[in-house]
Amino acid sequence: MKLSLSLLLLAGALSATALDLTPTFINTVADGIIIRRPYFADGGKKYSLTLDMETELTPYEDGSLFKFTRFKQGEMRLRPSSFSTETKFGPDTLGQYEEAARKMLPQASTKITLVDQVKNPWPINGWQSHRFIFSYVTATGEVQESITFLNITPAQQVIVQVYASAKDFPDVSSRGYDTIRRWHEMDPSTTARGN
């Protein structure tokens, strides 16, 4: 009984400090102007992104869905990874990462091709990452999708999936990558009252 209670307490403590990828919205003050911003909680820390008027952010399953409204099929998903940050990106693990990425592609897709791999596409914030870019065909036509495994904090790996029609993929991926590059820890002093 004591062991079970100890395990439950440990699990509760670990989940309390895990990065929650479900967006919460808060008002912040910049130059006297109140701005509504999303943030993601990690224990006592809050991380935010800067979004423009053409990006909609909503909770989605175990993470977040970003819709780029200028594009018919332009989306980005942020979700937890099943890999630990301890699973480094190297020759002995990239096969496992690629296999996991392929499992995230739509089941009904055909003609799946690995178009490219990019080592450490976001060399900022001390991040380590690896990106796989696929093309495939669905009922709606030819699609491209990138799946990036990103060590976003020292203890947390996330997955960033960007999806668009093949024609729009360069523009959509550029918007998605730029959004993630704006990830930053929030300064508590910028929080507006009433939140």
Side-chain angles (χ1 to χ4, degrees):
M1 181 68 172
K2 284 184 178 180
L3 181 61
S4 298
L5 181 57
S6 297
L7 289 174
L8 284 173
L9 291 173
L10 178 61
L14 289 175
S15 65
T17 60
L19 178 61
D20 182 358
L21 296 175
T22 305
T24 301
F25 292 86
I26 194 167
N27 291 333
T28 61
V29 179
D31 297 327
I33 299 170
I34 297 177
I35 302 168
R36 184 169 162 81
R37 288 206 174 151
Y39 75 86
F40 305 89
D42 184 2
K45 294 182 179 179
K46 293 178 182 171
Y47 296 95
S48 185
L49 297 165
T50 304
L51 302 178
D52 62 24
M53 299 297 288
E54 295 179 346
T55 305
E56 294 175 359
L57 173 59
T58 56
Y60 182 78
E61 293 179 0
D62 54 354
S64 298
L65 181 66
F66 300 76
K67 288 191 176 185
F68 303 116
T69 58
R70 236 180 70 208
F71 303 95
K72 187 175 179 181
Q73 295 181 347
E75 296 179 352
M76 178 174 71
R77 184 173 173 198
L78 181 63
R79 60 193 294 195
S81 173
S82 60
F83 291 100
S84 159
T85 55
E86 299 299 314
T87 308
K88 304 301 181 194
F89 303 109
D92 54 337
T93 59
L94 287 182
Q96 295 170 8
Y97 278 111
E98 182 181 344
E99 182 181 345
R102 286 180 180 273
K103 288 180 180 176
M104 291 178 228
L105 301 176
Q107 290 184 353
S109 56
T110 60
K111 300 182 182 177
I112 298 170
T113 304
L114 177 61
V115 175
D116 197 9
Q117 292 186 56
V118 183
K119 180 182 177 181
N120 212 26
W122 285 306
I124 56 172
N125 299 329
W127 289 347
Q128 295 294 313
S129 59
H130 196 87
R131 177 176 297 147
F132 297 91
I133 302 173
F134 296 95
S135 68
Y136 53 88
V137 176
T138 68
T140 61
E142 188 179 349
V143 172
Q144 284 197 318
E145 182 169 347
S146 68
I147 298 174
T148 306
F149 296 90
L150 169 64
N151 294 340
I152 204 160
T153 71
Q156 183 85 36
Q157 185 178 103
V158 299
I159 298 168
V160 181
Q161 291 176 260
V162 178
Y163 164 94
S165 66
K167 171 181 70 78
D168 292 335
F169 184 76
D171 291 330
V172 171
S173 61
S174 178
R175 289 181 60 83
Y177 305 160
D178 187 55
T179 300
I180 294 298
R181 277 194 292 268
R182 296 170 188 257
W183 179 274
H184 62 278
E185 188 173 350
M186 292 179 70
D187 178 352
S189 68
T190 62
T191 304
R193 293 184 185 191
N195 294 305

